Amino acid sequence: EAGVTQFPSHSVIEKGQTVTLRCDPISGHDNLYWYRRVMGKEIKFLLHFVKESKQDESGMPNNRFLAERTGGTYSTLKVQPAELEDSGVYFCASSQGLAGESYEQYFGPGTRLTVT
Amino acid sequence: GQSLEQPSEVTAVEGAIVQINCTYQTSGFYGLSWYQQHDGGAPTFLSYNALDGLEETGRFSSFLSRSDSYGYLLLQELQMKDSASYFCASSNQAGTALIFGKGTTLSVSS
């Protein structure tokens, strides 16, 4: 079974540019999550999809971040325009059930974003 | 708000036993999970405690006390490959996503 994949693995962009991150969850997992880890800090929740619907986007920092999951398969996270504080590692995870139901979340390897 | 506190670093030698503690303050607590992360890679699931008590999975065990808002991860017979970051996590109030502690970096030496 293929795991969660993310593309690109690294991205270096200048402040003001746009970047789009992609996540392919494990096949059959309806739940897809985006998280971010800024250096030295905890992994923070950004948003949660169930199939193609956004269930919870309370962790999205601001309206420069836009996530989509068209067709309920892969997801994209776009940052436009990028700011310096957006640098960090963006993780995608997927699961069969919800965190509150003890379902394990499977994480991808992350995209390391550096904004200069 | 919700928060989980854990030590930032722990060191130990091969073959030893180490305990990583986690205290939490959350609303609508569903249970405590533990994840391992090697070299900034993908966090991988280790264990989950929904009820009080000890859960054992091979060399790793996890404990939860809901009345004390406290849990720990116990690693036995430490190996060099256990050097990694370990995160405790709990679900958010809606039960939809994970809230993580800042992580504990475990260094195992020979």
Side-chain angles (χ1 to χ4, degrees):
Chain A
E1 178 183 90
V4 177
T5 58
Q6 294 186 243
F7 182 83
S9 57
H10 293 81
S11 181
V12 181
I13 61 172
E14 293 183 353
K15 175 182 171 181
Q17 290 186 321
T18 298
V19 63
T20 301
L21 315 180
R22 173 172 171 143
C23 168
D24 287 79
I26 291 172
S27 177
H29 282 189
D30 288 339
N31 294 277
L32 186 149
Y33 313 82
W34 284 98
Y35 293 88
R36 175 174 75 174
R37 189 178 192 197
V38 174
M39 191 185 301
K41 299 200 172 182
E42 66 268 35
I43 301 170
K44 280 202 156 181
F45 166 74
L46 296 178
L47 88 158
H48 168 221
F49 284 98
V50 176
K51 296 185 180 178
E52 67 276 6
S53 299
K54 291 177 188 173
Q55 286 295 111
D56 182 352
E57 50 184 334
S58 61
M60 294 286 263
N62 50 60
N63 59 11
R64 295 185 294 102
F65 289 74
L66 175 65
E68 295 180 324
R69 192 182 182 194
T70 307
T73 54
Y74 72 91
S75 174
T76 58
L77 179 65
K78 181 191 287 188
V79 185
Q80 178 182 32
E83 298 289 345
L84 298 179
E85 64 264 26
D86 301 332
S87 296
V89 182
Y90 290 76
F91 290 103
C92 174
S94 71
S95 69
Q96 290 182 314
L98 298 176
E101 299 166 354
S102 82
Y103 278 93
E104 172 183 350
Q105 293 191 12
Y106 296 82
F107 281 76
T111 293
R112 185 174 298 277
L113 174 65
T114 303
V115 183
T116 62
Chain B
Q2 296 180 271
S3 65
L4 296 97
E5 298 292 330
Q6 51 183 129
S8 58
E9 292 182 16
V10 174
T11 59
V13 296
E14 276 187 302
I17 299 173
V18 72
Q19 178 174 311
I20 300 174
N21 298 321
C22 175
T23 57
Y24 60 86
Q25 188 172 26
T26 64
S27 304
F29 181 75
Y30 290 95
L32 196 68
S33 300
W34 289 91
Y35 282 76
Q36 178 191 59
Q37 185 187 36
H38 279 103
D39 298 325
T44 55
F45 174 82
L46 290 177
S47 68
Y48 175 79
N49 294 69
L51 304 175
D52 287 2
L54 192 68
E55 295 280 344
E56 297 181 72
T57 309
R59 295 187 297 112
F60 293 1
S61 303
S62 58
F63 172 84
L64 176 65
S65 169
R66 297 170 71 108
S67 60
D68 295 323
S69 298
Y70 163 76
Y72 65 73
L73 180 69
L74 189 73
L75 299 88
Q76 302 182 72
E77 301 172 20
L78 281 174
Q79 303 174 9
M80 297 288 285
K81 67 178 182 180
D82 297 328
S83 294
S85 292
Y86 293 85
F87 296 87
C88 58
S90 181
S91 67
N92 62 1
Q93 191 168 2
T96 57
L98 292 172
I99 307 296
F100 286 87
K102 290 188 177 181
T104 298
T105 300
L106 171 64
S107 299
V108 181
S109 59
S110 57

